[in-house]
Amino acid sequence: MNRLCYVNSCSVHNINNYLTGLFDRFVSRYQKVLFEHEGVFVHSSTDDVDEPDLLISGFLRVLDKDGETVVEYKPLEDTVDPSNMLCACKDSSSVVEWTQCPTDRSHHVVEQQQSCDTEWDMVNAVSFKRKHYTNGEGSSYHLHEKNRWAFSFTAADLKTVTMKTEGWMHLVFGLKDDTTLPTIHFHQGGSQEFMECLRRCVHLTECPRDKTTFLVSCHNKALSQSFENLLDDANYGLVEKLKKDPYTTTLGGFSKVTNYIFDAFRGPELEQRERPAEEVADILGEIIPGLEINQLEEPGFEVITRVDLGSRPEVQRGDPLTLESWLKYQDQEGRVRKVPELKDRIFKGGLCHVVRREAWKFLLGYYPWNSTYEERKGLQRRKTDEYFKMKLQWKSVSEEQERRNSRLRDYRSLIEKDVNRTDRTNKFYEGLENPGLILLHDILMTYCMYDFDLGYVQGMSDLLSPILYVMENEVDAFWCFVNFMDEMHENFEEKMQGMRTQLIQLSTLLRLLDLAFWNYLEAQDSGYLYFCFRWLLIRFKRELHFQDVLRLWEVMWTGLPCQNFHLLVCCAILDSEKQKIMDRHYGFNEILKHINELSMKLDIEEILHKAEAICLQIKNCKDLPSTVSEILGLRSTCEDSPCEKSMLELSDYGILTPPLHTSGELVSNGHGQLSETSSNGYKVAFIS
């Protein structure tokens, strides 16, 4: 069978642009590409007869960096050669152990990896071959030579642009400090597109004395309507990005909570004045589309006076569930028994890593709890076939077809950018040519075929990365990700109903737990808790160390000790930080900065311990407001029928859970997956 082989044409330079390392560095470098063109040349002529002339090819880009327009030219630092390829081969079950090997050995490794359906081999996962350099040999001199010609400047520093034609178009940039930059030559076109992009960022006026030269001036930054009138010129960049693409800016920018947001919310003249709550609600409504917070309809505005919650009980955490203990919960045919007890143990201590690959498939709903070994093998075969049919759909799209499909083209572009900056410090994804990155890319592209209406939105790569890390298998990771996205779907929809609901619910819970602290936040224009946006959007993925994310997610997937336990995790973090915030009299800006700086400094066991204690404290309250009961699912809606209630198992936390089926049929749940059913079984839906 012919194997499908494709070349990864991204140079070392392109990949290095995305290696931003830790999240705090990434935030500071967040940028939007407005224009990009490869094949722009610099002619490096010299008077030295011993040094040959160089024709240097590079990238010309126009970037929006936090509202500031930047033009940069960077020479290519590498070229594609046949030894730097990514080849589609067999199954990726051992991708974490990938090695760089000679060509003859790579074929041997490939033959050892067998997929469920070998006819899909040509679109399955990857191995790779890499060219080695020793003792600095190779192109180091040329890299040094080319880097001399890189330049970058802001639009505000640009004074003139000179356009000349000598068989092709070339441009000369003159800066306000009288610096003249190297002439750039458009041998492969693109000059008109560049000038059109530049005209959208600055005002160009033809010079009276030289028609080939344009004088540059910045656009008037006067802002036009209601929200913009609250801001000063220094905040123009954020506002302009929000106006042009509010959804992407919200997910990609606002969720990163940096200091500039403060300046976008209040100018210097307003620092000493409290905003009316209605005004802040209006601002947030324009900042986050679909997140209009109406005080009249917010359930948290039910009259909640000071409620005596009583003392917070002591709780004990347990040890992670071992492989030996996990196997004890399965019968001879592979059915999982005593599921409520098993979930309780997972909630109390999490899982040993060796158990995760199997247990997560149950927790995420990919495997039904009462399925046998044979039924799960059959399920995997069917899901493998279904996955690769979807994967083949986007892989078989030609370049010509993709040029006429802007949505697919945009999805691919965004996925490629995000994949190259997702968890690059993790050994599973580190390095310039890591197969884990290809799997991440392929799964996200295939998900676009699975749910084309949603497609890909920034942040989804963060949700997939830990799942792929644990599964080490392309197909299993995809279907587990699909089930996780079923839960998280509303977070990424354009109307953002899921985010709106969660912020309202979180505000309601915090108001109940600590009214004084909530009032303090309200006085600082922070009562809507929008600084928790990123926590909720991607489930604390960027707040915790990678291994802690695995522990938190598997605990939350148990559905214990209540619905929406992740909201109580937020409350636990805020409870630990409230004294510092209030004692130091933090204002709006300081609160945002402080919360953002908690990233990678949180203790997951301490947080889980406190969140569980808060849940039990609320559960023990006799006068619990109905809105809080509904948010946490602490009261049954089945009180009318004792028979129905008896059919439901009551967990230690007072949550009604469906009974285990000892016999029943396996049916499709609409995604082609097996699910449990019974003629006399009852289920209660939970919001997670």
Side-chain angles (χ1 to χ4, degrees), residues 1-103:
M1 178 181 295
N2 294 329
R3 313 234 185 262
L4 179 65
C5 180
Y6 57 97
V7 176
N8 177 9
S9 60
C10 290
S11 66
V12 174
H13 166 73
N14 286 331
I15 299 177
N16 282 336
N17 281 343
Y18 300 122
L19 294 177
T20 53
L22 298 175
F23 174 68
D24 57 339
R25 295 180 184 176
F26 167 65
V27 171
S28 64
R29 299 178 186 180
Y30 179 72
Q31 61 190 28
K32 180 179 179 182
V33 179
L34 304 179
F35 171 85
E36 182 176 41
H37 187 68
E38 181 180 353
V40 180
F41 293 81
V42 170
H43 297 194
S44 60
S45 58
T46 176
D47 296 331
D48 190 343
V49 295
D50 294 327
E51 183 178 349
D53 293 351
L54 290 176
L55 186 64
I56 298 173
S57 175
F59 284 91
L60 181 65
R61 294 186 179 92
V62 180
L63 308 172
D64 185 337
K65 293 187 176 180
D66 290 336
E68 188 173 47
T69 302
V70 176
V71 178
E72 69 174 22
Y73 175 80
K74 291 186 178 180
L76 289 173
E77 296 178 351
D78 201 2
T79 56
V80 177
D81 62 61
S83 65
N84 203 7
M85 295 194 299
L86 297 171
C87 306
C89 300
K90 297 278 186 178
D91 180 61
S92 59
S93 60
S94 60
V95 66
V96 73
E97 300 174 354
W98 70 280
T99 56
Q100 301 165 9
C101 52
T103 303

Side-chain angles (χ1 to χ4, degrees), residues 323-367:
L323 178 60
E324 182 181 2
S325 298
W326 167 260
L327 294 175
K328 288 180 180 179
Y329 284 94
Q330 298 184 20
D331 62 21
Q332 292 182 346
E333 293 184 329
R335 296 184 183 89
V336 180
R337 304 170 299 163
K338 301 179 181 178
V339 175
E341 177 185 316
L342 175 59
K343 286 185 176 181
D344 184 64
R345 289 196 59 179
I346 297 173
F347 172 77
K348 284 291 189 180
L351 297 162
C352 289
H353 188 71
V354 70
V355 183
R356 284 183 172 132
R357 189 185 303 181
E358 189 74 8
W360 278 26
K361 297 171 186 176
F362 290 93
L363 290 171
L364 285 167
Y366 178 37
Y367 286 170

